[in-house]
Amino acid sequence: MSASRLNLAELDIPEIESALEARGCERFHARQLYRWIYKRAVVDFETMTDLSKDLRARLAADFEVVTPKVVSERRIEAVFIPDTPSMTFCISTQVGCAMGCGFCLTGKMGLVRNLTAGEIAGQVRVLAAATGMLDHRFNIVLMGMGEPLHNYDQTMKALRMLHDEHGLAVSPRRVTLSTVGIVPGLQRLAHEPLMPNLAISLHATTDEQRSELVPPNRKYPLADILETCRRFPLKKRSRITFEYVLLAGVNDSPEDARRLARLLSGIKAKVNLIPLNPAPGIPYERPSDERVDRFAQILADRHLTVSVRKSRGQDIRAACGQLIVEGGVRKSAAQQMASLLQS
Ligand code: SAH
Ligand code: SF4
């Protein structure tokens, strides 16, 4: 691949149209190209049979389509969650993360780099092709590595590219963006024409404890985040999900549950409880199932919709908070498919 070739995976349709025009080609080919790249997972111009031979040769000379590959050196990770009733792809927006949450292995890595829009959308492109989902509806959760609002522009561009009707046509209703609550980012998001569902990683009910567990809370405290949520322009029938990682003996008491219910009053909210996925290097433990149930019951008694996240992927270290760059090759094909990686 020559460095001078333009990578179409990073471009939306208007950008491809301009690139074609600049080379004296017809703009409408941009739509055909999108269909090949996103709907048919074809990235080799030679195979794009509805384009003339001449055009294919010209495209191959000037353009390329860089696609995340399954490799042993792991850089970014995307996880495929075979789920009922619909499939969910969990994708990353950064390599590592700068937020430094104390219970999260990705946070321990620090931020290595932002992913580009093409790399973010590319995870979906490859997962959809690998799982035979190109012509089916699936959900996307931005819950892999990274803080999406800390890589705002590339994340939103990726969502626009995935939404394009000539490509995968993913509805924003099927996308959930999970964030620690960077208030200026939330305010920007409130004005997006393509607005994903919102999940806020809350994890604590006092500023003192939240600042400890989720350091960005020092800058954007609970009251500011919750006020922004109260004003957030939600679509009909939609609600904000509040994620709450349960850490044994730290934030899982009945008193915490009651305080959480009070904090969320007046917000169209649902709560997703996530019993900690423990890992070496994480100084917290997972509470017992009884303790989790008790916490959930207190919220339910206060008319909150509660779900408890079943963690998958712990055996392959692909569960929440366990995405981390490490060496070594995974052995089984299933494991390799579960993780899409890019060097
Ligand atoms: N940075 C964003 C999105 C990625 S993290 C965010 O924090 O919201 C996605 C979810 O995984 C978050 O709710 C996060 O708190 C949770 N998580 C992180 N580490 C975890 C762990 N060790 N066990 C369980 N959930 C974890
Ligand atoms: Fe970053 Fe989310 Fe992990 Fe916190 S939980 S360190 S924001 S990836």
Side-chain angles (χ1 to χ4, degrees), residues 75-78 90-99 106 111-121 123 140-156 158-159 175-179 323:
R75 282 280 184 272
I76 58 175
E77 302 213 22
C90 176
I91 64 170
S92 298
T93 54
Q94 299 179 313
V95 181
C97 180
M99 301 296 123
T106 306
L111 178 64
V112 178
R113 69 172 176 90
N114 281 329
L115 294 179
T116 61
E119 289 171 329
I120 298 168
Q123 294 167 64
I140 298 173
V141 291
L142 303 180
M143 294 187 187
M145 280 202 220
E147 166 51 50
L149 297 186
H150 191 220
N151 184 17
Y152 192 98
D153 292 334
Q154 295 299 309
T155 298
M156 293 315 296
L159 296 188
V175 180
T176 299
L177 184 152
S178 175
T179 172
L323 296 180

Side-chain angles (χ1 to χ4, degrees), residues 140-191:
I140 298 173
V141 291
L142 303 180
M143 294 187 187
M145 280 202 220
E147 166 51 50
L149 297 186
H150 191 220
N151 184 17
Y152 192 98
D153 292 334
Q154 295 299 309
T155 298
M156 293 315 296
K157 182 175 180 186
L159 296 188
R160 284 196 299 276
M161 285 157 52
L162 290 167
H163 174 67
D164 198 288
E165 58 175 330
H166 304 290
L168 287 170
V170 177
S171 156
R173 284 184 174 274
R174 293 196 163 265
V175 180
T176 299
L177 184 152
S178 175
T179 172
V180 285
I182 298 177
V183 170
L186 287 173
Q187 287 165 344
R188 249 182 109 181
L189 194 65
H191 296 103

Side-chain angles (χ1 to χ4, degrees), residues 286-318:
R286 180 196 189 95
S288 66
D289 288 351
E290 293 73 42
R291 192 104 168 146
V292 173
D293 289 347
R294 173 113 195 261
F295 198 98
Q297 192 57 51
I298 292 171
L299 298 175
D301 288 346
R302 283 157 180 74
H303 310 294
L304 277 160
T305 305
V306 194
S307 55
V308 179
R309 188 176 300 173
K310 276 187 263 152
S311 258
R312 304 193 183 211
Q314 287 199 53
D315 50 334
I316 57 165
R317 301 249 274 138

Side-chain angles (χ1 to χ4, degrees), residues 32-45 47-48 65-68 121-135 166-168:
Q32 290 172 297
L33 285 165
Y34 240 60
R35 205 164 298 128
W36 281 111
I37 298 168
Y38 286 91
K39 282 300 278 182
R40 296 177 200 158
V42 168
V43 298
D44 174 7
F45 298 108
T47 319
M48 301 182 179
V65 185
V66 178
T67 301
Q123 294 167 64
V124 176
R125 196 153 53 81
V126 176
L127 281 167
T131 55
M133 292 297 288
L134 285 170
D135 292 319
H166 304 290
L168 287 170

Side-chain angles (χ1 to χ4, degrees), residues 180-289:
V180 285
I182 298 177
V183 170
L186 287 173
Q187 287 165 344
R188 249 182 109 181
L189 194 65
H191 296 103
E192 286 290 342
L194 274 187
M195 200 188 295
N197 300 305
L198 185 57
I200 303 278
S201 288
L202 210 65
H203 311 321
T205 52
T206 65
D207 278 320
E208 191 188 355
Q209 184 173 71
R210 192 165 189 272
S211 293
E212 183 84 11
L213 295 173
V214 183
N217 191 72
R218 291 174 203 147
K219 196 157 178 195
Y220 307 114
L222 279 169
D224 293 5
I225 294 172
L226 294 172
E227 184 54 25
T228 310
C229 289
R230 265 190 200 94
R231 291 159 185 255
F232 204 78
L234 290 174
K235 289 178 212 123
K236 254 193 205 154
R237 285 193 298 277
S238 101
R239 281 180 288 179
I240 299 177
T241 302
F242 289 87
E243 298 164 276
Y244 194 99
V245 172
L246 287 163
L247 311 171
V250 176
N251 66 354
D252 64 340
S253 72
E255 199 192 337
D256 287 308
R258 287 190 289 267
R259 214 168 19 233
L260 178 58
R262 275 200 301 277
L263 280 178
L264 299 183
S265 70
I267 301 179
K268 284 169 78 185
K270 52 187 172 181
V271 176
N272 188 208
L273 298 175
I274 316 171
L276 177 78
N277 290 316
I282 291 183
Y284 300 103
E285 279 163 34
R286 180 196 189 95
S288 66
D289 288 351

